[in-house]
Amino acid sequence: MGTSPGAPFAITADLDRRFYAVQFHPEVHHTPNGKTLYENFIRDAGFTGDWTMGAYRDEAIRKIREQVGDKRVICGLSGGVDSSVAAVLIHEAIGDQLTCVFVDHGLLRLHEADEVVTMFRDHYNIPLIHADEAELFLGELDGVSDPETKRKIIGKLFIDVFQKYAGQIEGAEFLAQGTLYPDVIESVSFSGGPSVTIKSHHNVGGLPEKMGLKLVEPLRELFKDEVRALGHELGLPASFIGRHPFPGPGLAIRCPGEITREKLAILRKADAVFIDQIRKHGLYDEIWQAFVAILPVRTVGVMGDGRTYDFACALRAVTSVDGMTADTYPFSHDFLGETVTRIINEVKGINRVTYDVTSKPPGTIEWE
């Protein structure tokens, strides 16, 4: 029924039995007319499309109350949009039965820990435990360079830390997480199916039985754009809802190779300059995600009359709707030149800056 240059049978059908199949991904944003294909298929099947985010919010609150009852819940709060929307939604459902645990793993951006604590403890008045475990995480990551090993170490330590603090909350029987549907897709390979595990997500796959906690994951069926719509429905500030995504493993996966405190300090400063530039030029809301990755190479440079041998870094900025596919953001050469000058002049330890123009696919948005 349809062909493409790379697939002579891109769409097939058995019209008599009303079976249809495609050899591409109509669900991703960058597939031309993919949304229209789905809408036509669903409308023809008799659905009216009257679902709303307000209805989802009400249903999610009902399900949370039904699942939790009068028990206590601890929520893994990272300060990102996902876990924050989950926390506010659950707090609306069960109030002070919720306690948030903010794990500071030492892999956050500049001043981020202070901002998270201030917002949730002071602004939302949600019970919050600030678990400063940076030394534990950085110690376990010392000398580790493999990206999957990094993710698994961080995931295991998250569970260990939650187990430690859950014991301090009397009657806690549930752990809430901001797991999204793309996390589930990338983490699960169905038995006998063609999909593979692309990368591990520390908040997917359940918890060891030894922890004694059951999962509450109210966002598990949503994509990022839907989470933002839910956040708006819950009354979160637009400036917060529009924040760029930040991965659970934090700067660990923006630091290919071994992680050191020196490299993290350099990365934080460079990332802050890059985001400041994007905001100053009024580009922040046009971009899905932007960050700096510090590369595991040193390069020769010249500063003044002297020779330098410092790190190279890569700037990354993409546009997307749901994070499943992404295109590189087309910065002007003037913007890139100005940004590079600022980073090299303001961040000691970097003498070369590159811009990553890889789309997703074939690359992932994050470097690891």
Side-chain angles (χ1 to χ4, degrees):
M1 304 297 292
T3 66
S4 69
F9 305 104
I11 304 176
T12 61
D14 181 332
L15 297 179
D16 291 338
R17 292 187 292 173
R18 303 186 76 192
F19 290 167
Y20 306 92
V22 296
Q23 279 285 80
F24 58 93
H25 286 273
E27 77 277 10
V28 299
H29 178 68
H30 289 92
T31 295
N33 300 314
K35 183 179 179 183
T36 302
L37 188 152
Y38 265 129
E39 286 178 349
N40 290 342
F41 182 82
I42 291 168
R43 300 285 186 192
D44 188 54
F47 292 97
T48 57
D50 58 357
W51 181 93
T52 65
M53 188 53 75
Y56 182 88
R57 167 189 174 178
D58 294 341
E59 178 71 4
I61 289 173
R62 184 191 66 76
K63 286 182 177 178
I64 292 166
R65 288 172 178 165
E66 185 178 279
Q67 180 184 7
V68 171
D70 60 357
K71 304 298 188 295
R72 296 190 64 81
V73 180
I74 57 174
C75 177
L77 184 66
S78 69
V81 175
D82 305 339
S83 64
S84 298
V85 169
V88 173
L89 176 66
I90 294 167
H91 188 253
E92 185 166 310
I94 61 172
D96 287 344
Q97 289 171 243
L98 171 71
T99 300
C100 290
V101 178
F102 168 49
V103 177
D104 184 352
H105 49 24
L107 300 164
L108 298 171
R109 293 166 291 193
L110 198 64
H111 307 311
E112 192 162 22
D114 292 340
E115 292 170 1
V116 170
V117 172
T118 298
M119 182 170 65
F120 278 86
R121 193 177 277 167
D122 298 345
H123 182 71
Y124 285 105
N125 199 30
I126 296 176
L128 174 68
I129 295 173
H130 181 193
D132 186 353
E133 299 285 355
E135 290 304 312
L136 171 66
F137 280 84
L138 296 180
E140 290 290 321
L141 290 167
D142 189 31
V144 176
S145 59
D146 179 74
E148 271 297 287
T149 305
K150 287 180 188 176
R151 286 177 173 271
K152 287 174 180 175
I153 287 172
I154 293 168
K156 178 183 179 300
L157 289 179
F158 257 94
I159 291 169
D160 292 344
V161 168
F162 271 112
Q163 191 172 16
K164 172 182 172 182
Y165 287 94
Q168 302 174 13
I169 303 171
E170 187 176 349
E173 294 190 13
F174 293 89
L175 179 106
Q177 298 184 142
T179 307
L180 305 191
Y181 194 50
D183 298 338
V184 177
I185 294 171
E186 290 186 337
S187 295
V188 177
S189 177
F190 293 100
S191 177
S195 63
V196 297
T197 299
I198 297 171
K199 56 190 177 184
S200 299
H201 290 266
H202 75 268
N203 58 339
V204 178
L207 295 166
E209 291 183 8
K210 66 173 185 176
M211 194 167 178
L213 296 176
K214 291 165 283 206
L215 277 176
V216 178
E217 295 177 309
L219 313 181
R220 191 179 174 88
E221 297 176 353
L222 300 183
F223 288 95
K224 177 69 78 171
D225 55 318
E226 295 171 318
V227 172
R228 289 195 168 119
L230 178 57
H232 178 75
E233 187 73 30
L234 290 165
L236 272 76
S239 60
F240 179 79
I241 295 170
R243 285 181 68 192
H244 292 175
F246 187 63
L251 300 181
I253 57 174
R254 296 177 179 177
C255 187
E258 294 186 12
I259 299 168
T260 66
R261 287 166 176 77
E262 176 200 13
K263 288 165 73 174
L264 290 173
I266 293 169
L267 179 55
R268 285 189 181 96
K269 292 176 184 176
D271 189 77
V273 171
F274 185 34
I275 298 302
D276 183 58
Q277 279 285 103
I278 289 171
R279 289 191 183 279
K280 280 185 175 178
H281 284 260
L283 303 175
Y284 190 85
D285 291 337
E286 295 181 29
I287 295 169
W288 163 269
Q289 194 168 358
F291 60 89
V292 175
I294 188 168
L295 307 185
V297 293
R298 291 180 183 266
T299 70
V300 174
V302 178
M303 293 288 282
D305 295 326
R307 172 187 183 275
T308 62
Y309 189 57
D310 289 327
F311 287 105
C313 74
L315 311 181
R316 180 79 160 136
V318 298
T319 58
S320 183
V321 169
D322 54 20
M324 297 300 291
T325 59
D327 283 331
T328 185
Y329 186 80
F331 287 122
S332 69
H333 281 284
D334 287 344
F335 173 88
L336 290 173
E338 182 183 310
T339 303
V340 170
T341 299
R342 278 196 62 190
I343 289 174
I344 291 175
N345 286 342
E346 297 177 28
V347 183
K348 185 178 180 181
I350 290 178
N351 68 359
R352 192 177 301 270
V353 181
T354 65
Y355 184 47
D356 178 0
V357 295
T358 313
S359 63
K360 176 186 180 180
T364 55
I365 295 175
E366 296 290 344
W367 269 56
E368 290 189 337

